[in-house]
Amino acid sequence: MHRRKYTLGLIAEVGLTAAKPSTTPIDINTKLTTKQYDEHISKDERSVEDPAVDQTAYQRLIGKLLYLTVTRPYITYGVQTLSQFLQQPKKSHMEAALRIVKHVKNNPGQGILLSSQYNTTITTYCDADWAACALMRLLKLCVPCIPK
């Protein structure tokens, strides 16, 4: 199961047919924040550096990337992270979304092989990284439960 035609259409739609593919879907060192967080931390310093982008275009791109996660589970983390900023997307969010598209460009025909002959099980892992979530730490929502 793959989405080759859909992927090639997405790459053409966002204008990245001539762009160099990315080796990773998202840069782990990039800290994506909301506009409110930027205003709280530094009064209008980051807001000028990171302007808002077209909300409709950003939402459409994230929606298309969400559809691709069905056959490309390795981009799920990046797409889920970017989907948190659908209401007020900034330039950094759009650049990160376009990086995922550039990564998908590496192998547009990649997909999932589903066999009808074998009983397969899917094993998943979750890594909760509380320390990297600066926005949630600020809001004090990322406090892990400690059993008493």
Side-chain angles (χ1 to χ4, degrees):
M1 181 165 74
H2 64 84
R3 307 266 191 265
R4 180 176 173 78
K5 184 177 179 184
Y6 183 82
T7 303
L8 293 173
L10 174 61
I11 293 167
E13 182 180 329
V14 296
L16 295 175
T17 52
K20 181 180 176 185
S22 173
T23 56
T24 58
I26 193 164
D27 183 16
I28 59 170
N29 294 323
T30 302
K31 300 296 181 194
L32 300 171
T33 58
T34 62
K35 196 173 256 190
Q36 290 83 9
Y37 178 81
D38 291 346
E39 290 170 359
H40 179 74
I41 295 301
S42 57
K43 302 292 182 191
D44 293 330
E45 289 177 18
R46 290 174 115 184
S47 300
V48 176
E49 295 174 12
D50 202 0
V53 294
D54 181 22
Q55 181 181 8
T56 306
Y58 181 76
Q59 290 175 346
R60 185 176 296 122
L61 178 58
I62 296 300
K64 290 178 186 249
L65 289 172
L66 279 170
Y67 181 70
L68 273 181
T69 62
V70 172
T71 56
R72 298 166 186 267
Y74 60 90
I75 66 169
T76 303
Y77 171 77
V79 175
Q80 181 273 332
T81 300
L82 293 172
S83 69
Q84 296 176 17
F85 305 104
L86 291 174
Q87 296 306 312
Q88 293 180 326
K90 300 185 300 183
K91 185 178 177 184
S92 60
H93 304 141
M94 183 61 94
E95 289 171 353
L98 292 174
R99 181 183 172 117
I100 294 175
V101 175
K102 288 177 187 177
H103 178 70
V104 169
K105 186 180 175 186
N106 272 332
N107 295 312
Q110 188 173 11
I112 296 177
L113 177 62
L114 300 175
S115 176
S116 62
Q117 298 176 354
Y118 299 103
N119 183 10
T120 58
T121 58
I122 297 175
T123 305
T124 60
Y125 301 95
C126 177
D127 180 17
D129 190 3
W130 297 100
C133 187
L135 176 62
M136 293 304 194
R137 273 196 325 242
L138 176 72
L139 299 175
K140 297 181 182 173
L141 296 175
C142 282
V143 179
C145 296
I146 300 172
K148 295 180 182 181

